[in-house]
Each structure stands twice: as C-alpha cells, then as structure tokens.
Amino acid sequence: MPQSKRPADSTFAALAATLGDALPRRPEDASDPTTPVAATVVMVRDSDDGPEILLIERPDRGSFAGAWVFPGGKLDSDDHRTDDDAEELPARRAAARETFEETGLIVDPDSLIPLSTWDPPPGLPLRIRTWFFVAHAHQGTVALAADEAVDSEWLRPLEMLERHSNGEVTLYPPTWITLHTLAHHPDVNSLVAATRLAGPQQFETMARLGDDGPIMLWQEDAEYHGDATPEASRARHRITLGALPWVYTREVNER
C-alpha cells in the first residue's frame, strides 16, 4: 500500500515563497568567494544494529532553528592559516573546532574524510557553502553547548529518516540526503570505506517550484539547466519537498 503523504513542515512550505528569488546558476557560483563557508562532521560509531550517527537539535532561533543537524559551523579567521590555504584545509579546522565547541568531542582535522560539499541555489536569502566530513567517533561523552544545541542523539540513519517522514523532526535536504546515503551500511568500516572510494560529492543546487511543491535538483538531472532533450529525459537527481515523506530520485541514463 502506498505511504500516505503528510503536509511539509513550515520550513519547506515557506521555501516555495522564496523560489522567485532564485537566479540561474553560473559556473563560478560553487566557488564564489563572497559566499560564507561552513563545515560539519558526520560522527559515526558502531552499535549492535549497525552504524549510529550523532545529530544535535538546534534551538528555536537563528539559522536552522529547531532542525536536527550534524555538529559544525562557519569558518572563522583563525581557520585560515595562510592566504594560500585551499578551502578544504580551513574547512577541516573549522569542522573539528566547531564539533568540540558544540559537543565536547575531539576530532583530528587530518583524520576527517571528505563526504560532500553543498552549494545552495543562487539568489536565495540563506546561502552557506558547506563541507561535510565523516569521522569515526572515539570514546568521549557528548557535552552540549547550551547556546548551540538543546538535545542530541546517537541513532541509526533510518530511525531519523522515519521520524522526519512522520513529521516529528525538522531536517534540511543536505542532512536528509546524507542520512539516506549512509543508511544501509552494516558497520562503520563499510561506511568509511565506501566514503573514501566514492570521494567527495559536489552538490551544486538549483531550486524550482514543481507541480508537487519545491524541488531541488543537482547536476546529473536532465532538467537541471531547463533544456532537457528527449534522450536525456530519464536522468534524475532531485528531491521533492512539497509533502512528507520527501521523494529523492537519483537515476542515470541507460546507455
């Protein structure tokens, strides 16, 4: 029996109203030096039922108010050691620093495994280019910074995705897709090995309003540039956000 749809939470119902501000994407948008940069850490550990991931709940204010996210935050001046630093190096430092400040957990910046980078749609009000890294959690007790998080949980990715589908929690698309991508590994070693093998994935986002609500599309999607040809029509890489559960589609052309 098909799963019934639930109304989208207010965060993404409101997204539809902002899509008129979206601009056509230019090749230089993904490296625009005027776009703020942030970094986040996907902390993973083994459990009897498979890998668990640490998520924290943001307070009901500021960016990502009330959402469950991975620990992290924006780069600051101390993360840039030299003017020649490639963006990944200060992003690693910021990811480790912010994770410690928010959770009390120590992460070695050199041990972080790049998972993905996310560049939001041009023209939208909140644009922060974000690096996602994976880290194998070592011993330590989570000690939340009161001004950064109100709750935390270690849980399997599918558990959080189910809560989101039921309308119990707020997630943003990069968090949702990261959980979806990492959900089916039997243990942390498998998850880490797959992340290393795949290499960092680049998500250069376009946003549109479709028949079923807001849609976010990425480079592999045939309609990403709005000029799909018949032979490309089956290529899809998108998420539809108008109702719960969200629908994520990633299909490549058959040759």
Side-chain angles (χ1 to χ4, degrees):
M1 179 180 295
Q3 189 173 4
S4 60
K5 291 285 187 178
R6 297 171 178 269
D9 63 50
S10 58
T11 302
F12 293 99
L15 176 61
T18 70
L19 293 186
D21 297 325
L23 300 173
R25 180 171 279 281
R26 305 167 302 167
E28 61 268 28
D29 284 327
S31 57
D32 183 352
T34 67
T35 301
V37 179
T40 190
V41 177
V42 184
M43 301 282 288
V44 295
R45 71 179 188 184
D46 279 313
S47 77
D48 292 340
D49 297 319
E52 294 181 329
I53 291 176
L54 178 65
L55 290 114
I56 62 176
E57 185 182 12
R58 293 296 187 201
D60 289 325
R61 53 178 171 72
S63 300
F64 311 111
W68 285 82
V69 300
F70 308 114
K74 290 183 182 178
L75 278 62
D76 66 23
S77 57
D78 290 340
D79 298 318
H80 296 268
R81 304 288 170 79
T82 73
D83 292 339
D84 296 330
D85 273 352
E87 190 172 274
E88 181 180 337
L89 293 176
R92 285 174 175 273
R93 296 174 190 129
R97 175 181 52 76
E98 288 282 344
T99 296
F100 178 73
E101 290 175 0
E102 293 183 345
T103 70
L105 298 177
I106 297 174
V107 178
D108 178 0
D110 294 334
S111 72
L112 296 175
I113 306 164
L115 175 67
S116 56
T117 57
W118 293 78
D119 191 68
L124 296 192
L126 180 61
R127 292 198 74 234
I128 303 173
R129 183 166 59 254
T130 304
W131 287 74
F132 281 59
F133 297 95
V134 169
H136 195 159
H138 299 288
Q139 291 184 349
T141 301
V142 175
L144 295 178
D147 58 338
E148 298 286 357
V150 296
D151 199 2
S152 69
E153 256 191 277
W154 288 97
L155 74 174
R156 291 179 297 115
L158 286 176
E159 292 181 66
M160 183 56 84
L161 293 175
E162 183 176 356
R163 291 185 193 180
H164 181 262
S165 293
N166 292 333
E168 299 170 14
V169 297
T170 296
L171 298 175
Y172 277 73
T175 308
W176 192 100
I177 291 175
T178 299
L179 292 169
H180 180 275
T181 300
L182 302 178
H184 299 289
H185 292 284
D187 53 44
V188 167
N189 286 340
S190 169
L191 187 156
V192 167
T195 300
R196 291 188 188 278
L197 181 64
Q201 307 297 297
Q202 186 86 7
F203 290 82
E204 299 178 11
T205 311
M206 288 291 294
R208 301 207 180 108
L209 187 59
D211 293 339
D212 296 322
I215 299 173
M216 290 186 170
L217 304 94
W218 294 284
Q219 300 93 301
E220 301 92 338
D221 197 289
E223 298 178 9
Y224 181 75
H225 295 292
D227 55 357
T229 58
E231 60 269 20
S233 61
R234 295 189 63 181
R236 292 287 182 269
H237 190 191
R238 62 178 64 187
I239 190 167
T240 303
L241 308 170
L244 297 175
W246 288 349
V247 178
Y248 179 55
T249 308
R250 188 167 193 173
E251 300 173 354
V252 298
N253 287 329
E254 295 182 0
R255 295 296 184 186

